[in-house]
Amino acid sequence: MVKEKGKNIYDIASEAGVSIATVSRVLRGETSVLPETRRKVEDVIAKRGYRPSAIARGLTQKHTNSLGIVLPKLTNPNYAMIFTGAYDEATREGYVMSLFPWKSMDLKTGYDPMEVLAERRLDGLIMCVEYQKKESYDHLTASLENLSRYMPLVLIGCVPSELDYPTITYDMSLCASGVMEYLLEMNHTRIALLGGMKEDMGVMSRDAGYRAALEKAKLPYISSYRVYGDSTTRAGEQMLTEMLDGLQRAYWPTAVIALNDLVALGALKAAREMGLRVPEDISIIGCDDLFCAPYSEPPLTSINMHQQELGARAVRRLLRPDDKTRELAAWNIVKRQSSAPTEIV
Amino acid sequence: MVKEKGKNIYDIASEAGVSIATVSRVLRGETSVLPETRRKVEDVIAKRGYRPSAIARGLTQKHTNSLGIVLPKLTNPNYAMIFTGAYDEATREGYVMSLFPWKSMDLKTGYDPMEVLAERRLDGLIMCVEYQKKESYDHLTASLENLSRYMPLVLIGCVPSELDYPTITYDMSLCASGVMEYLLEMNHTRIALLGGMKEDMGVMSRDAGYRAALEKAKLPYISSYRVYGDSTTRAGEQMLTEMLDGLQRAYWPTAVIALNDLVALGALKAAREMGLRVPEDISIIGCDDLFCAPYSEPPLTSINMHQQELGARAVRRLLRPDDKTRELAAWNIVKRQSSAPTEIV
DNA sequence: CTGAAAGCGCTTACAG
DNA sequence: CTGAAAGCGCTTACAG
């Protein structure tokens, strides 16, 4: 921050020949200022390019006009969408939205980013609770509790129901069984599920939906069909290749549900390289409906999670709390050419 | 921001039986505190979950430990990469990095976001100067000048050379002729350039490189081969379709350079739908080397602009100013299967 | 309609 | 090693 002469409210006041209180009133657009006084002050402000310090203002007022959002990372465009939705809504409401990637949590910088967040004195914080392992759960609860004493919180993502904060969540279990039903209706009986870490709470809930659907359809749970791993394109490619390599052709799945579109893109490539036609030999379904999903070959069937809308809703929730605690976010399957009925038995 | 009892330095001081100066010293890890005094204070801090206000601290100190970065938008993963690079580097250096999408500039919220930026009193700001039209150039210069009185600036992107600030820029002209050379070596003589707004300064510089390469190769500039438009997948699809529709087959280009990978993906789809094989009938080259480039069909040749590194460099430049003013960023062609020598004459 | 003064929650010389 | 006090740049009752 560059300090320069002629840069604070005192300088403006003295140059305009008024008190700092009057400058402050002009700055905040109060109506109780004589037009000519206002003009005088505004002239000086413009001439000096003066901008009041949000820091000082934040100290006297009870709010800072800034919100925050914590997201796992930005390398998955999915999160960029959430941010964009939240940012736009915040701007519309007159707030500045700052982004805090979760990942900083892992850096051994010697401090807990949650504590840094508390220091910022935001007017509200949206936390995307994803990629959370059960082990780190206690730490999370403690952090949230302390944070909530400094600012209102809204949780989004696959939020465990024990967390008692205003929440907009997905029922990933329902979502997984929904996709399963879609595939079952198309006669698929060998359906694989690709990606995600076993200990991740959101992943666990998907697994539950997957297994429930199998059970309902009286199909066995075959552990070779459930491969865990990173949620990246590279991992998707590897996971499918290894799965197929490890199975007799008769047992190859006729459909693959990928944890997200990145994994699905990788799987698409792996399938092609194994000489499989999509969707004739194998259907592949992603999740998040990224911008590139319609542009893969074949175009990827995916799940639209309405992430931008989710971000916007979270902001509204933060600003206008209501009585509901847990709200469910919408999702829907976007059917494209990577999935089709199977004729393989 | 939620105000609560027992939440400021006075409360901690009185509970610990010391002065606020001592609490402040403990907080900042000064060594001049008696171990047992420190313990006493630390206990109270931990017990109360106390975090000092960064707002108040920012007021007394000459810095805020926070940097900002202005990017056009986040819907192109390209910018997410720049942010990620900048964010990580900032964290490493002990700074908080906030993101400010340019687009807010267009919103008719009645204020200039540049002014809001000045109010934040950041320790430094990285501005990505892209999608800038010549018309808005004066406004930009004025904004930058005023901003620079409040905080150090570093400009990145396709920065016009008239802007006299520390800058990390691309020579887009050189980059465009580089790609042209690569295609010319592969015997292409009908090369189209797709996307970008004509008035955009970065686009103008690419056009210059494109034309220079044509001239050098003694090839004519054919205006049908230069289509302007948005830099989105949808636009890319449309632009190529319309270009081909408007030309006799003998004049169809054998290679297309797209402004970015989004446009390239769209063009890939359009080509396919027009019955063209890539790369046999037409080569397509993108720019930015997005995560999905290796996963299109065929995998997309693109230009790696090292965006993450660019973000990191900008942060370093901000924190440790040197004498160089304009620095050039690296780029290189990533050759994949969407481009190949042509046999069409 | 305008100003003098207190206060927001810290840090930082200055004494002791 | 510790504390009293001034100050950072604003806002906001309170007078007038």
Side-chain angles (χ1 to χ4, degrees):
Chain A
M1 153 165 61
V2 180
K3 300 266 176 175
E4 213 185 289
K5 294 275 165 223
K7 280 312 199 193
N8 69 26
I9 200 171
Y10 288 94
D11 302 310
I12 302 299
S14 74
E15 186 168 343
V18 299
S19 75
I20 60 163
T22 300
V23 176
S24 173
R25 288 185 189 109
V26 171
L27 245 22
R28 283 171 301 111
E30 274 187 28
T31 51
S32 67
V33 183
L34 222 51
E36 63 174 316
T37 312
R38 172 182 303 282
R39 264 264 329 290
K40 235 175 11 185
V41 174
E42 277 170 346
D43 285 351
V44 179
I45 289 175
K47 187 165 139 212
R48 296 277 166 243
Y50 166 70
R51 292 278 88 208
S53 158
I55 304 277
R57 182 175 285 176
L59 193 57
T60 52
Q61 297 188 142
K62 297 285 171 253
H63 58 271
T64 53
N65 267 314
S66 54
L67 306 176
I69 183 166
V70 178
L71 295 170
K73 54 186 172 185
L74 227 49
T75 43
N76 184 338
N78 182 35
Y79 295 114
M81 285 295 110
I82 299 184
F83 177 77
T84 299
Y87 180 88
D88 289 350
E89 186 67 20
T91 305
R92 223 169 285 133
E93 298 275 0
Y95 286 81
V96 174
M97 171 67 76
S98 291
L99 171 65
F100 302 91
W102 247 124
K103 134 178 81 164
S104 51
M105 184 102 178
D106 298 332
L107 292 177
K108 300 291 170 271
T109 35
Y111 62 81
D112 184 336
M114 287 297 226
E115 303 197 347
V116 176
L117 277 177
E119 296 184 359
R120 315 280 303 177
R121 304 294 198 268
L122 303 164
D123 289 345
L125 184 71
I126 300 168
M127 290 244 353
C128 181
V129 183
E130 282 189 16
Y131 295 111
Q132 292 299 317
K133 298 184 182 175
K134 265 222 149 114
E135 297 91 86
S136 52
Y137 188 71
D138 284 345
H139 179 70
L140 180 66
T141 355
S143 297
L144 288 178
E145 200 185 317
N146 194 30
L147 259 183
S148 71
R149 284 159 49 197
Y150 285 102
M151 58 193 77
L153 258 36
V154 164
L155 271 31
I156 59 175
C158 303
V159 185
S161 56
E162 301 85 49
L163 256 31
D164 192 26
Y165 296 92
T167 293
I168 308 180
T169 188
Y170 294 104
D171 189 332
M172 288 314 284
S173 164
L174 216 68
C175 182
S177 30
V179 177
M180 284 294 286
E181 262 166 50
Y182 164 62
L183 287 169
L184 292 166
E185 275 168 20
M186 298 195 298
N187 299 321
H188 291 276
T189 54
R190 297 198 298 279
I191 305 173
L193 181 51
L194 229 60
M197 293 304 180
K198 200 170 190 160
E199 320 75 31
D200 183 308
M201 311 203 53
V203 172
M204 290 171 67
S205 129
R206 285 199 191 194
D207 279 343
Y210 172 68
R211 295 185 84 133
L214 284 176
E215 208 162 312
K216 193 170 157 209
K218 304 194 175 174
L219 291 171
Y221 175 82
I222 298 177
S223 62
S224 313
Y225 289 168
R226 182 61 183 104
V227 187
Y228 295 95
D230 277 343
S231 301
T232 61
T233 44
R234 173 166 296 279
E237 201 174 333
Q238 226 164 22
M239 287 186 287
L240 186 56
T241 307
E242 281 170 15
M243 182 197 302
L244 299 184
D245 271 343
L247 283 174
Q248 278 198 23
R249 188 134 193 163
Y251 275 96
W252 281 11
T254 60
V256 169
I257 303 175
L259 205 83
N260 65 23
D261 284 351
L262 302 189
V263 173
L265 281 184
L268 219 49
K269 188 174 190 189
R272 200 158 43 222
E273 277 164 12
M274 300 292 275
L276 294 175
R277 294 163 306 162
V278 180
E280 294 83 348
D281 301 324
I282 191 167
S283 285
I284 295 179
I285 298 183
C287 182
D288 293 341
D289 199 24
L290 296 190
F291 72 94
C292 50
Y295 293 94
S296 64
E297 175 54 32
L300 187 67
T301 293
S302 189
I303 304 177
N304 185 341
M305 305 293 276
H306 304 279
Q307 302 286 35
Q308 209 157 334
E309 173 59 21
L310 175 68
R313 271 173 78 184
V315 168
R316 271 177 250 132
R317 190 72 181 280
L318 210 46
L319 266 24
R320 288 181 286 281
D322 51 29
D323 9 290
K324 288 169 292 180
T325 304
R326 287 176 81 82
E327 231 175 293
L328 273 184
W331 57 271
N332 61 280
I333 303 181
V334 182
K335 296 171 190 170
R336 298 202 184 87
Q337 289 87 301
S338 74
S339 58
T342 186
E343 276 151 28
I344 304 172
V345 187
Chain B
M1 154 164 63
V2 179
K3 301 264 176 176
E4 213 185 289
K5 294 277 167 218
K7 281 311 198 192
N8 69 25
I9 200 170
Y10 289 93
D11 303 309
I12 303 299
S14 75
E15 186 167 344
V18 298
S19 75
I20 60 164
T22 300
V23 176
S24 173
R25 288 185 189 108
V26 171
L27 244 22
R28 283 171 303 111
E30 274 187 29
T31 52
S32 67
V33 183
L34 221 54
E36 64 174 314
T37 313
R38 171 183 304 283
R39 265 262 332 286
K40 234 175 16 186
V41 175
E42 277 171 347
D43 285 352
V44 178
I45 289 176
K47 187 165 140 210
R48 296 278 165 243
Y50 166 72
R51 292 279 86 209
S53 159
I55 304 276
R57 181 175 285 176
L59 193 56
T60 52
Q61 297 188 142
K62 297 286 170 251
H63 58 270
T64 53
N65 267 315
S66 54
L67 306 176
I69 183 166
V70 179
L71 294 171
K73 54 184 172 186
L74 228 48
T75 42
N76 184 338
N78 182 34
Y79 295 114
M81 283 297 111
I82 300 185
F83 177 77
T84 299
Y87 180 88
D88 289 349
E89 186 67 20
T91 305
R92 223 169 285 133
E93 298 276 0
Y95 286 80
V96 174
M97 172 67 75
S98 292
L99 172 66
F100 303 91
W102 247 124
K103 133 178 85 166
S104 51
M105 183 102 180
D106 299 332
L107 293 177
K108 299 290 170 272
T109 35
Y111 62 81
D112 184 337
M114 287 296 225
E115 303 196 346
V116 177
L117 277 178
E119 296 182 359
R120 314 278 306 175
R121 303 294 197 268
L122 304 163
D123 289 345
L125 184 71
I126 300 168
M127 290 241 356
C128 181
V129 184
E130 281 187 19
Y131 296 110
Q132 292 299 318
K133 298 185 182 175
K134 264 222 150 113
E135 297 92 86
S136 51
Y137 188 71
D138 284 346
H139 180 71
L140 179 66
T141 356
S143 297
L144 288 178
E145 200 185 315
N146 194 29
L147 259 182
S148 70
R149 284 158 50 198
Y150 285 103
M151 58 193 78
L153 257 37
V154 165
L155 271 32
I156 60 174
C158 303
V159 185
S161 55
E162 302 84 50
L163 257 31
D164 193 26
Y165 297 93
T167 292
I168 308 180
T169 188
Y170 294 104
D171 188 331
M172 289 314 284
S173 165
L174 217 68
C175 181
S177 30
V179 177
M180 284 294 285
E181 263 165 49
Y182 163 63
L183 287 169
L184 291 167
E185 276 168 19
M186 297 195 300
N187 300 320
H188 291 274
T189 54
R190 297 198 299 278
I191 305 173
L193 181 51
L194 228 61
M197 292 306 179
K198 200 172 191 160
E199 319 76 29
D200 183 308
M201 311 204 51
V203 172
M204 289 171 67
S205 129
R206 285 200 191 193
D207 279 343
Y210 172 69
R211 295 184 83 133
L214 285 176
E215 207 161 312
K216 193 171 157 207
K218 303 193 176 173
L219 291 170
Y221 175 82
I222 297 175
S223 62
S224 313
Y225 289 169
R226 182 61 184 103
V227 187
Y228 295 95
D230 277 344
S231 301
T232 61
T233 44
R234 172 167 298 277
E237 201 174 335
Q238 228 164 19
M239 287 186 285
L240 186 56
T241 307
E242 280 169 16
M243 181 197 302
L244 299 184
D245 272 343
L247 283 174
Q248 278 199 24
R249 188 134 193 164
Y251 276 95
W252 281 11
T254 60
V256 170
I257 303 175
L259 205 83
N260 65 23
D261 284 350
L262 303 189
V263 173
L265 282 182
L268 220 49
K269 187 173 192 190
R272 202 160 41 224
E273 276 165 11
M274 298 293 273
L276 294 175
R277 294 163 307 161
V278 180
E280 293 84 348
D281 301 324
I282 191 167
S283 286
I284 294 180
I285 299 183
C287 183
D288 292 342
D289 199 23
L290 296 189
F291 71 95
C292 51
Y295 293 94
S296 63
E297 176 53 31
L300 187 66
T301 294
S302 189
I303 304 177
N304 185 341
M305 306 293 277
H306 304 279
Q307 302 287 35
Q308 209 157 335
E309 173 58 20
L310 176 69
R313 273 173 77 184
V315 169
R316 271 178 250 133
R317 190 73 182 280
L318 211 45
L319 266 24
R320 286 181 287 280
D322 52 31
D323 9 289
K324 289 170 289 179
T325 305
R326 289 176 80 82
E327 231 175 294
L328 274 183
W331 58 269
N332 61 279
I333 303 181
V334 182
K335 295 170 189 170
R336 298 201 184 87
Q337 289 85 303
S338 75
S339 58
T342 185
E343 277 152 28
I344 303 172
V345 187

